[in-house]
């Protein structure tokens, strides 16, 4: 008789790895997105060029290749990462490249009047960006950031290819041991949906908090 409670428990253990990977990958993606996105609007050509090169490279190459390169090629350069570290790095850098364009677009969307007001107040470029531009641009970024976070969640399935025991990997183990495909993959289908739903709700709540008091401010 198949011990389904035990097998479902195995998949739930993998779900914890998926959640951990999603949180850490998203954190890296946000940091990289702001760094590269603000780099794209820098006054310095070298910074703009470096940010553009990063964005185009990671958007233009496959996440599978990036993952395999980080896991199998970096050790030849003396850099050995665990499967979890590799997954966080590959997913964070990949999604961060898309997020960088979101940051750039949101910053550019803030009206010239806001920038002129900063000049009139004698704010430095850094002060204007930190206190005026970014707080308004953040509300424009959040909906797309939410989509990116969900894409990152779904992208975590690729880490099973380097034997990281996420829930996709565990579902494959259960399928191999039981010969049943429907139950393990239906289980992770529901789990992915519930996680994506939680991200969507969380981002909507955050968007409401961030936009509170900004109505009529952006021009």
């Amino acid at each position: 008789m198949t011990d389904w409670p035990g097998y479902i428990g195995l998949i739930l253990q993998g779900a914890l790895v998926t959640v951990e990977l999603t949180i850490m990958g998203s954190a890296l993606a946000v940091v990289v997105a702001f760094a590269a996105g603000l780099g794209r609007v820098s006054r310095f050509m070298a910074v703009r060029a470096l940010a553009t090169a990063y964005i185009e490279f990671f958007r233009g190459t496959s996440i599978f290749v990036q993952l395999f390169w980080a896991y199998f090629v970096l050790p030849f350069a003396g850099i050995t990462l665990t499967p979890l570290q590799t997954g966080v790095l590959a997913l964070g850098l990949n999604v961060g490249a898309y997020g960088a364009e979101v940051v750039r677009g949101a910053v550019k969307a803030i009206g010239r009047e806001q920038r002129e007001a900063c000049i009139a107040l004698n704010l430095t470029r850094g002060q204007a960006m930190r206190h005026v531009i970014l707080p308004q641009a953040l509300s424009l970024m959040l909906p797309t950031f939410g989509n990116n976070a969900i894409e990152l969640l779904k992208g975590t399935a690729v880490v099973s290819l380097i034997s990281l025991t996420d829930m996709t990997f565990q579902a494959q183990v259960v399928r191999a041991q039981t010969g049943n495909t429907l139950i393990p993959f239906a289980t992770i289908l529901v789990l992915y949906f519930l996680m994506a739903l939680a991200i969507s709700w969380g981002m909507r709540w955050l968007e409401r908090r961030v936009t509170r008091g900004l109505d009529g401010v952006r021009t």
Side-chain angles (χ1 to χ4, degrees):
M1 183 176 178
T2 304
D3 179 23
W4 282 115
Y7 284 125
I8 297 300
L10 191 66
I11 292 175
L12 292 177
Q13 291 177 14
L16 293 178
V17 176
T18 297
V19 170
E20 184 180 10
L21 187 60
T22 301
I23 292 173
M24 292 193 294
S26 296
L28 176 60
V30 168
V31 172
V32 170
F34 273 95
L38 294 178
R40 286 270 281 145
V41 296
S42 171
R43 291 177 296 174
F44 304 103
M45 186 176 66
V47 175
R48 293 198 306 271
L50 184 62
T52 301
Y54 155 72
I55 292 169
E56 295 303 328
F57 177 81
F58 279 93
R59 289 197 308 176
T61 55
S62 167
I63 180 61
F64 291 96
V65 176
Q66 295 165 14
L67 183 72
F68 290 155
W69 196 90
Y71 192 66
F72 294 112
V73 178
L74 283 183
F76 289 103
I79 303 173
T80 302
L81 303 175
T82 66
L84 180 62
Q85 291 170 337
T86 302
V88 170
L89 181 66
L91 289 168
L93 292 178
N94 182 273
V95 174
Y98 292 93
E101 286 297 278
V102 176
V103 172
R104 182 192 65 81
V107 169
K108 289 288 190 181
I110 302 303
R112 179 180 298 177
E113 294 83 356
Q114 298 290 327
R115 303 174 191 276
E116 291 175 349
C118 293
I119 295 173
L121 292 172
N122 201 30
L123 297 179
T124 65
R125 184 181 175 88
Q127 290 172 331
M129 184 64 70
R130 184 167 65 253
H131 297 298
V132 179
I133 306 301
L134 280 182
Q136 296 178 64
L138 184 59
S139 63
L140 301 176
M141 301 175 198
L142 287 178
T144 309
F145 274 179
N147 291 336
N148 288 348
I150 292 173
E151 287 299 320
L152 190 148
L153 165 67
K154 294 187 291 185
T156 59
V158 304
V159 302
S160 62
L161 298 173
I162 57 172
S163 301
L164 182 60
T165 55
D166 72 317
M167 61 182 178
T168 300
F169 181 89
Q170 299 291 31
Q172 292 171 342
V173 170
V174 172
R175 182 187 63 81
Q177 293 183 0
T178 64
N180 186 299
T181 300
L182 176 61
I183 294 178
F185 284 100
T187 300
I188 67 170
L189 184 69
V190 172
L191 289 173
Y192 274 120
F193 173 72
L194 292 176
M195 291 178 187
L197 199 60
I199 292 173
S200 180
W201 284 347
M203 294 303 292
R204 287 173 187 168
W205 174 83
L206 185 59
E207 186 178 354
R208 287 195 298 270
R209 289 293 301 271
V210 169
T211 56
R212 187 177 300 167
L214 287 181
D215 290 341
V217 173
R218 288 191 304 267
T219 57

